PDB file of all heavy atoms in Angstrom:
ATOM      1  N   ALA A  52     -30.767 -83.581  50.458  1.00  0.00           N
ATOM      2  CA  ALA A  52     -29.582 -82.711  50.115  1.00  0.00           C
ATOM      3  C   ALA A  52     -30.040 -81.690  49.066  1.00  0.00           C
ATOM      4  O   ALA A  52     -29.705 -80.509  49.199  1.00  0.00           O
ATOM      5  CB  ALA A  52     -28.454 -83.566  49.647  1.00  0.00           C
ATOM      6  N   PHE A  86     -14.425-101.975  46.001  1.00  0.00           N
ATOM      7  CA  PHE A  86     -15.489-101.692  46.967  1.00  0.00           C
ATOM      8  C   PHE A  86     -15.883-100.182  46.800  1.00  0.00           C
ATOM      9  O   PHE A  86     -17.019 -99.802  46.777  1.00  0.00           O
ATOM     10  CB  PHE A  86     -15.026-101.819  48.415  1.00  0.00           C
ATOM     11  CG  PHE A  86     -14.797-103.251  48.897  1.00  0.00           C
ATOM     12  CD1 PHE A  86     -14.045-103.487  50.065  1.00  0.00           C
ATOM     13  CD2 PHE A  86     -15.373-104.311  48.212  1.00  0.00           C
ATOM     14  CE1 PHE A  86     -13.854-104.728  50.495  1.00  0.00           C
ATOM     15  CE2 PHE A  86     -15.150-105.584  48.723  1.00  0.00           C
ATOM     16  CZ  PHE A  86     -14.444-105.831  49.840  1.00  0.00           C
ATOM     17  N   ALA A 100     -30.313 -89.254  38.990  1.00  0.00           N
ATOM     18  CA  ALA A 100     -31.788 -89.251  38.872  1.00  0.00           C
ATOM     19  C   ALA A 100     -32.352 -87.915  39.454  1.00  0.00           C
ATOM     20  O   ALA A 100     -33.407 -87.435  38.936  1.00  0.00           O
ATOM     21  CB  ALA A 100     -32.366 -90.420  39.612  1.00  0.00           C
ATOM     22  N   GLY A 112     -15.573 -95.017  58.604  1.00  0.00           N
ATOM     23  CA  GLY A 112     -15.293 -95.880  59.695  1.00  0.00           C
ATOM     24  C   GLY A 112     -13.905 -96.507  59.657  1.00  0.00           C
ATOM     25  O   GLY A 112     -12.868 -95.860  59.497  1.00  0.00           O
ATOM     26  N   GLY A 131      -9.870 -95.950  43.332  1.00  0.00           N
ATOM     27  CA  GLY A 131     -11.292 -96.277  43.100  1.00  0.00           C
ATOM     28  C   GLY A 131     -12.027 -94.966  42.773  1.00  0.00           C
ATOM     29  O   GLY A 131     -12.905 -94.939  41.885  1.00  0.00           O
ATOM     30  N   ALA A 169     -12.242 -86.970  70.001  1.00  0.00           N
ATOM     31  CA  ALA A 169     -11.034 -86.642  70.710  1.00  0.00           C
ATOM     32  C   ALA A 169      -9.815 -87.021  69.882  1.00  0.00           C
ATOM     33  O   ALA A 169      -9.869 -88.038  69.097  1.00  0.00           O
ATOM     34  CB  ALA A 169     -10.968 -87.342  72.067  1.00  0.00           C
ATOM     35  N   LEU A 176      -7.248 -89.967  65.509  1.00  0.00           N
ATOM     36  CA  LEU A 176      -8.421 -89.931  66.366  1.00  0.00           C
ATOM     37  C   LEU A 176      -8.298 -90.944  67.466  1.00  0.00           C
ATOM     38  O   LEU A 176      -7.821 -92.065  67.283  1.00  0.00           O
ATOM     39  CB  LEU A 176      -9.680 -90.232  65.559  1.00  0.00           C
ATOM     40  CG  LEU A 176     -10.006 -89.172  64.416  1.00  0.00           C
ATOM     41  CD1 LEU A 176     -11.259 -89.641  63.650  1.00  0.00           C
ATOM     42  CD2 LEU A 176     -10.219 -87.802  64.965  1.00  0.00           C
ATOM     43  N   ARG A 201     -10.565 -71.583  63.289  1.00  0.00           N
ATOM     44  CA  ARG A 201      -9.999 -70.240  63.437  1.00  0.00           C
ATOM     45  C   ARG A 201      -8.502 -70.319  63.800  1.00  0.00           C
ATOM     46  O   ARG A 201      -7.696 -69.542  63.265  1.00  0.00           O
ATOM     47  CB  ARG A 201     -10.716 -69.563  64.588  1.00  0.00           C
ATOM     48  CG  ARG A 201     -10.236 -68.102  64.829  1.00  0.00           C
ATOM     49  CD  ARG A 201     -10.900 -67.549  66.110  1.00  0.00           C
ATOM     50  NE  ARG A 201     -10.462 -68.316  67.317  1.00  0.00           N
ATOM     51  CZ  ARG A 201     -11.015 -68.128  68.531  1.00  0.00           C
ATOM     52  NH1 ARG A 201     -12.011 -67.279  68.660  1.00  0.00           N
ATOM     53  NH2 ARG A 201     -10.547 -68.827  69.536  1.00  0.00           N
ATOM     54  N   GLY A 210      -4.359 -83.051  76.523  1.00  0.00           N
ATOM     55  CA  GLY A 210      -4.227 -81.659  76.912  1.00  0.00           C
ATOM     56  C   GLY A 210      -3.189 -80.888  76.093  1.00  0.00           C
ATOM     57  O   GLY A 210      -2.993 -79.689  76.384  1.00  0.00           O
TER      58      GLY A 210
END
Side-chain angles (χ1 to χ4, degrees):
F86 289 164
L176 298 177
R201 183 189 64 190

